[in-house]
Amino acid sequence: MSDINNLPKAEGEEEVNKKETISNNVSEEQKLVESNETQPAEESPEVALEAATNIEESDAPKNSDINKDDEVLNEIEDSNAEDAEDEGNKDRHRIEVKAYDTMSLEALAIELEKLVKNEKVQAIKSHVDSINSEFKEKFQALLDEKKEEFLNDGGNEIDFYYASPVQKRYKEAYHEYRKKLNEHYQNLEQNLKQNLADKLEIIEELKGLINVEENINTTYKHFKELQERWRNTGPIPRDKYNNAWNSYHHHVEMFYDFLHLNRDLRDLDFKHNLEKKLLIIERAEELAQDDNVMRAFRELQELHKMWKEELGPVDKEHRDDIWEKFKAATKIINDKRQLYYQEIDKVYEKNLETKLEIIASIEAVNAQEVKTHSAWQKKIKEVEALRELFFNTGKVPIKVNESTWSKFKETVRIFNRKKNAFYKELKKDQYTNLQKKLDLIKIAEDNKDNDDFEVTTSLMKKIQSDWKKIGHVPRRDSDKIWKRFKAACNHYFDKLHATRNAANKETLEAFNKKAALLETLKDFKPSEDKAKDIESIKEYINNWKDLGRVPNDKRYIEGKFNKAIDEILTSLKMSKNEIEMIKFENKLDSIVSDDHKDLDNERYFIRKKIDEVKSQINQLENNLQFFTNVEDDNPVVKEVKNNIKAHKENLKLWKSKLSKIKELY
């Protein structure tokens, strides 16, 4: 690319000069003109700034050009606006984002110290926020563990206190960060206001250019100087960025309109801008081929910033075309970035599987009965290794991060409770009873909004039964925990009853539709085409299934339907095995839609029948060996052989049924 040095380069390359002034070698014979156009009404900078959102812009990426659903353009605009408020923010792109979730408390404190010491404070906000979140979460888990040990040793909750050297070190680093950040923004605020005032002053001078009666070349030179001043003016408040730029660009456009009588100057600028924007497009298209998608996207942000801030408009005949090309290259880069994020999501999902396996391993330890000191020491080491593995495993999807962490903490907490209970004899039986009831409350509160009613109802009834079996708790806690438990249970059963009332209406409607379908089935008449009749029957079965469940007290209609299907199948000229398989497939559909456990039971039943039939065949074949020197037409021998044949046919049918079940798995 001939002029690629005028574009920003990839990460690690030297910063290039992106500014270029137009040649002032205008022909001396060029005709000087003065503007005779009507002077625009005078307006204040604040009015110009507020009106800018309604101004028609050029080919820059403006609100009217961007589809509301095009989130990537909005993201680039927001990021550039953030950088425009504080120039140090762009450094945040080069600072490595480490796997903070895998770091220990000490490693997090060290990392925070390094960032605060070596980096611009305004560039590390997102990094510090992530570190702070991880540190608080992990330290709270440690604090909870220490507190529980303190209470189990007989301590009073009000007396609990725990101090850690690593916490002190972290707090000092975080305090230094907050101090530097506050100082930075105090200094920045005044600069932002002054820079905004300077830019508004430039806008006012731009407005005045079309009223100046002087040599057009002199006016044009003044115009270019104003553009250079605009570029060199420092950051302004983020919320004023777009409006200020729009207002500036509007008055640049007005100046170009003022130059319409002197096309040489305007066309030369248009040509310059077009050349530079074509180079930007070319660079964006090159970036679309870059395998480092995040580096390409960061440079793309810079290209958008150049497009908007460094360059002016082009001739109208090119504006839409070049913007569409630039936007197309932008879309390719963003699509690749989305694929990159999808791959990261796969890694996160794999990490989630690993963490859930770790939690399940700890739960398995919790489920074991450990009764000796040596056994407990082994389990403590085992759980500690699992905890370390959990922390060293990478991130999980953000939507399940909190729930996964909570589940892990709860599982470890359960282990610690069992461990502490083993090493310390509880002073009072009532404390044991209190803890049991608190566990039941936890289950009740955790499941009170669970929508899996079939499983949760049994669970809630069980914990209510368990509650009654547990003995007395300290009087001071009795009413309080009973109210909590009762409130959680009542909340769940109120929700259950409301849901069932709504479901009853749907199931009754399904019953009425099934009753109507059953009536049409009674009128079914077999045709001469058996295959067609079988398809019709299967269609009846599928339609029946699609109608859904009926009320429990009207489940008898299912039996009527099955009986009607059996009668029709019997009337067709089909083998016994064919009829049995069609009926079995219908049964499987019902099982699969109702409960997966029933499907497991059916598979177990069929395997048992296969074993029984095989055993019967072996027994009959052994019996034949006792018939020596007996003719084959002997009635007893014939009966045994017929039985063997019938059993083998039956075995074939059972195996077909088992194969059909395996397909469903």
Side-chain angles (χ1 to χ4, degrees):
M1 192 164 66
S2 62
D3 204 8
I4 194 62
N5 288 330
N6 285 324
L7 296 179
K9 295 187 177 181
E11 225 175 49
E13 297 180 356
E14 65 177 328
E15 183 67 14
V16 295
N17 178 18
K18 295 177 284 187
K19 300 181 177 68
E20 178 178 320
T21 58
I22 192 169
S23 171
N24 290 317
N25 296 325
V26 182
S27 171
E28 292 183 1
E29 290 80 20
Q30 181 180 14
K31 184 177 180 180
L32 303 180
V33 295
E34 295 181 350
S35 173
N36 294 320
E37 294 179 325
T38 304
Q39 303 299 321
E42 188 69 14
E43 57 183 356
S44 68
E46 291 76 16
V47 174
L49 196 56
E50 293 300 321
T53 53
N54 297 319
I55 291 171
E56 179 67 17
E57 297 175 12
S58 70
D59 56 322
K62 52 185 178 287
N63 292 339
S64 58
D65 290 331
I66 299 175
N67 188 296
K68 291 181 180 179
D69 296 329
D70 201 346
E71 295 180 357
V72 62
L73 293 177
N74 291 332
E75 179 181 348
I76 291 173
E77 287 285 316
D78 291 343
S79 180
N80 286 339
E82 182 179 357
D83 289 345
E85 182 182 77
D86 189 346
E87 293 173 332
N89 266 335
K90 56 189 173 186
D91 291 330
R92 73 188 191 278
H93 297 305
R94 65 165 181 80
I95 301 175
E96 179 184 3
V97 179
K98 297 183 179 180
Y100 302 125
D101 58 319
T102 66
M103 292 184 177
S104 65
L105 291 172
E106 185 175 5
L108 289 170
I110 293 172
E111 183 63 18
L112 179 60
E113 288 174 341
K114 289 180 179 178
L115 289 173
V116 174
K117 180 179 179 181
N118 301 325
E119 304 292 348
K120 293 181 179 179
V121 69
Q122 67 270 32
I124 61 174
K125 183 179 184 301
S126 61
H127 303 73
V128 174
D129 287 346
S130 297
I131 291 173
N132 194 43
S133 176
E134 291 295 336
F135 188 93
K136 287 168 62 177
E137 195 170 58
K138 291 181 178 180
F139 187 80
Q140 186 61 47
L142 175 63
L143 196 65
D144 291 344
E145 183 177 342
K146 297 297 182 182
K147 183 177 181 179
E148 189 166 0
E149 290 177 0
F150 175 79
L151 296 177
N152 288 336
D153 289 331
N156 193 321
E157 183 172 2
I158 197 172
D159 298 325
F160 175 75
Y161 174 79
Y162 177 75
S164 167
V166 70
Q167 184 194 28
K168 180 181 178 182
R169 181 177 184 179
Y170 179 85
K171 283 185 175 181
E172 288 174 353
Y174 191 77
H175 176 74
E176 181 65 18
Y177 162 74
R178 297 298 306 176
K179 177 183 176 183
K180 284 187 174 183
L181 191 65
N182 289 335
E183 291 174 353
H184 166 75
Y185 280 118
Q186 286 174 4
N187 295 331
L188 179 64
E189 183 178 3
Q190 188 62 36
N191 291 337
L192 293 176
K193 291 180 179 179
Q194 183 59 49
N195 292 338
L196 177 61
D198 292 344
K199 288 201 170 186
L200 293 178
E201 182 179 341
I202 292 171
I203 292 173
E204 286 298 300
E205 291 188 47
L206 277 174
K207 290 163 58 177
L209 286 181
I210 61 175
N211 300 323
V212 177
E213 297 182 0
E214 62 182 6
N215 182 296
I216 191 64
N217 290 330
T218 302
T219 303
Y220 184 80
K221 182 179 180 181
H222 188 190
F223 167 72
K224 300 305 290 184
E225 289 172 352
L226 289 175
Q227 285 188 310
E228 189 67 13
R229 280 173 54 195
W230 178 273
R231 296 188 189 102
N232 293 332
T233 303
I236 65 174
R238 186 188 316 181
D239 59 342
K240 300 293 191 298
Y241 172 76
N242 282 321
N243 281 354
W245 184 88
N246 288 337
S247 180
Y248 165 75
H249 204 281
H250 165 65
H251 293 294
V252 168
E253 289 260 293
M254 290 181 64
F255 181 79
Y256 279 116
D257 290 338
F258 166 70
L259 286 180
H260 78 282
L261 294 178
N262 195 320
R263 293 184 178 275
D264 289 342
L265 284 175
R266 187 179 65 171
D267 291 348
L268 190 59
D269 228 1
F270 280 176
K271 180 182 177 182
H272 167 266
N273 293 334
L274 178 60
E275 289 173 351
K276 295 303 178 185
K277 289 190 174 182
L278 288 176
L279 289 176
I280 287 177
I281 292 171
E282 185 176 346
R283 181 57 181 160
E285 290 171 346
E286 289 176 357
L287 290 175
Q289 307 305 317
D290 193 338
D291 292 333
N292 190 327
V293 292
M294 299 310 294
R295 178 179 64 194
F297 187 79
R298 287 194 293 270
E299 186 172 340
L300 177 68
Q301 288 179 280
E302 288 296 321
L303 294 180
H304 274 268
K305 187 174 182 180
M306 285 177 59
W307 185 289
K308 182 171 183 176
E309 296 181 14
E310 302 286 337
L311 300 173
V314 301
D315 194 272
K316 289 183 179 179
E317 65 175 302
H318 300 298
R319 291 178 186 176
D320 290 340
D321 181 57
I322 64 172
W323 172 241
E324 289 301 321
K325 287 182 179 179
F326 189 32
K327 193 163 64 170
T330 297
K331 183 179 186 303
I332 293 173
I333 295 171
N334 185 60
D335 288 345
K336 292 176 69 175
R337 186 175 68 130
Q338 294 306 315
L339 289 174
Y340 171 79
Y341 283 145
Q342 290 174 14
E343 291 301 317
I344 291 179
D345 288 342
K346 291 179 182 178
V347 174
Y348 287 177
E349 289 292 343
K350 184 64 178 177
N351 292 341
L352 175 61
E353 293 177 8
T354 302
K355 289 194 172 183
L356 291 178
E357 290 172 0
I358 292 170
I359 292 171
S361 298
I362 298 176
E363 288 176 338
V365 174
N366 292 341
Q368 298 172 10
E369 289 293 329
V370 186
K371 298 182 179 180
T372 66
H373 170 73
S374 60
W376 266 111
Q377 290 302 305
K378 291 180 180 179
K379 295 305 176 186
I380 290 170
K381 292 180 180 178
E382 181 179 342
V383 170
E384 187 59 35
L386 289 170
R387 289 178 78 252
E388 189 69 20
L389 180 59
F390 185 94
F391 288 130
N392 289 335
T393 303
K395 294 182 178 180
V396 302
I398 190 170
K399 62 182 179 181
V400 295
N401 180 58
E402 185 175 348
S403 60
T404 306
W405 173 246
S406 297
K407 188 174 183 181
F408 170 73
K409 287 196 300 182
E410 178 60 23
T411 307
V412 173
R413 187 179 291 119
I414 292 172
F415 173 79
N416 289 330
R417 286 172 181 167
K418 294 186 67 176
K419 175 194 68 176
N420 294 335
F422 175 81
Y423 285 107
K424 177 180 177 298
E425 181 180 0
L426 296 178
K427 294 181 178 180
K428 298 180 181 179
D429 290 338
Q430 286 186 341
Y431 182 85
T432 302
N433 295 337
L434 174 62
Q435 187 59 52
K436 289 180 179 179
K437 289 193 173 183
L438 288 174
D439 289 342
L440 294 183
I441 291 173
K442 178 72 169 59
I443 296 173
E445 291 178 343
D446 285 349
N447 289 276
K448 67 179 183 179
D449 290 311
N450 197 325
D451 293 329
D452 189 353
F453 296 118
E454 185 172 352
V455 174
T456 309
T457 300
S458 299
L459 175 64
M460 297 298 278
K461 289 181 178 179
K462 180 181 182 304
I463 63 176
Q464 286 180 325
S465 176
D466 292 344
W467 182 279
K468 295 177 181 178
K469 296 175 183 177
I470 297 174
H472 295 290
V473 299
R475 184 186 299 270
R476 65 183 181 186
D477 298 308
S478 181
D479 289 343
K480 180 173 63 177
I481 64 172
W482 167 244
K483 288 178 181 178
R484 280 183 62 189
F485 183 74
K486 183 180 178 181
C489 292
N490 287 347
H491 178 90
Y492 170 77
F493 284 108
D494 288 345
K495 181 178 180 180
L496 172 65
H497 295 150
T499 303
R500 284 181 173 175
N501 289 338
N504 286 340
K505 182 179 180 181
E506 295 179 5
T507 56
L508 185 59
E509 185 176 330
F511 171 79
N512 294 331
K513 291 179 179 179
K514 285 191 172 184
L517 181 61
L518 185 60
E519 288 300 317
T520 62
L521 185 61
K522 291 179 181 179
D523 298 331
F524 180 85
K525 301 296 182 185
S527 65
E528 295 297 325
D529 188 344
K530 184 173 73 172
K532 182 179 179 181
D533 289 341
I534 292 174
E535 287 301 317
S536 297
I537 292 171
K538 288 183 177 180
E539 185 176 351
Y540 270 110
I541 293 173
N542 289 333
N543 291 339
W544 183 273
K545 180 180 65 175
D546 292 339
L547 290 176
R549 299 175 62 89
V550 300
N552 290 333
D553 60 345
K554 299 185 183 296
R555 292 293 297 272
Y556 62 83
I557 197 171
E558 303 289 344
K560 288 187 176 182
F561 176 77
N562 292 331
K563 182 178 180 182
I565 292 294
D566 289 347
E567 291 175 355
I568 294 174
L569 291 174
T570 303
S571 68
L572 300 177
K573 296 178 180 180
M574 298 171 60
S575 68
K576 178 182 177 182
N577 282 7
E578 287 178 318
I579 294 175
E580 281 297 315
M581 285 306 297
I582 292 176
K583 291 163 62 177
F584 182 70
E585 289 176 2
N586 181 34
K587 180 181 179 182
L588 284 184
D589 287 339
S590 175
I591 290 176
V592 171
S593 62
D594 286 342
D595 192 350
H596 202 278
K597 189 170 86 172
D598 291 340
L599 189 63
D600 292 337
N601 292 337
E602 186 68 21
R603 180 173 62 174
Y604 173 79
F605 172 76
I606 292 174
R607 283 180 170 171
K608 185 176 180 182
K609 294 298 295 184
I610 289 175
D611 292 338
E612 289 177 0
V613 174
K614 284 182 178 179
S615 176
Q616 291 171 347
I617 292 173
N618 290 335
Q619 184 63 45
L620 290 171
E621 289 177 343
N622 289 336
N623 291 344
L624 275 180
Q625 296 178 7
F626 291 102
F627 293 92
T628 57
N629 301 325
V630 179
E631 297 295 331
D632 289 340
D633 59 351
N634 182 285
V636 177
V637 173
K638 289 175 65 177
E639 181 180 358
V640 173
K641 288 185 176 182
N642 288 338
N643 283 342
I644 291 174
K645 182 179 180 180
H647 282 309
K648 286 184 176 182
E649 283 295 318
N650 199 21
L651 179 62
K652 183 179 179 181
L653 175 62
W654 286 114
K655 286 184 176 181
S656 297
K657 290 182 177 181
L658 183 60
S659 297
K660 185 63 66 175
I661 286 183
K662 288 180 177 180
E663 291 176 5
L664 297 177
Y665 280 93

